[in-house]
Amino acid sequence: MRERSLMSGRVEWFRPEYEGRWSELVPTKEVLALTGLTSSRFSTWRRRQPEEPKPVCKKYAGKGEGAQFYYVRAELEGLLSDPPSITRARYEEIVQRMDARLKEIRWLEEQERKLSDSLKEFRQKKARLKSLQTHDQPIRDRYEKENPKPLEGACSE
């Protein structure tokens, strides 16, 4: 078993013949996304195969993130091209998760719109205040020129 650094994390190689051949590999996360399987169901599928697909490497992510196993894509072709059927419970779980995400996306879009409107108002107010400052500055300058001693408590920039 060899270890090498790769971008943000280190990689532990179980099958060194695939080292550096990333285009031929697929991470567990992608397998689960493509097939709709849970990690335990994927593990069960692997064990039931005549020649159990073995992980090629384990890539450690950055701090606070877990490690990701990678497999040879060709060894998972059967699963990727014809994944096991998804149970009704799994389907409902996915639909519920998607609905929750969609609700959050809509809420975030609404917050973004509100913030955009507020930002526009702030910019208009700032422009108006700058305009008033520009208008008042010559009056202040003239007064200070005529009266060298500045007023107590007067603002200065």
Side-chain angles (χ1 to χ4, degrees), residues 41-110:
R41 196 130 181 246
F42 173 58
S43 182
T44 301
W45 176 87
R46 281 184 39 237
R47 280 195 309 276
R48 290 181 178 168
Q49 297 310 301
E51 289 188 24
E52 178 183 338
K54 303 272 189 236
V56 172
C57 66
K58 183 177 185 180
K59 180 181 174 191
Y60 296 89
K63 246 184 181 175
E65 297 179 31
Q68 184 81 234
F69 286 96
Y70 282 74
Y71 296 86
V72 177
R73 186 179 298 273
E75 293 174 3
L76 301 177
E77 278 308 315
L79 174 66
L80 296 173
S81 63
D82 186 25
S85 62
I86 298 171
T87 64
R88 177 74 182 180
R90 177 72 174 142
Y91 167 79
E92 289 173 358
E93 174 191 326
I94 290 169
V95 168
Q96 190 175 32
R97 194 169 55 225
M98 289 176 70
D99 288 347
R101 286 187 197 129
L102 186 57
K103 184 178 177 182
E104 187 173 4
I105 288 168
R106 288 185 178 138
W107 181 84
L108 288 168
E109 287 172 344
E110 178 63 20

Side-chain angles (χ1 to χ4, degrees), residues 117-131:
D117 291 347
S118 293
L119 182 60
K120 191 183 302 179
E121 288 175 32
F122 292 151
R123 286 182 174 153
Q124 289 170 348
K125 186 174 182 177
K126 183 175 84 173
R128 192 171 63 251
L129 289 171
K130 281 185 171 186
S131 173

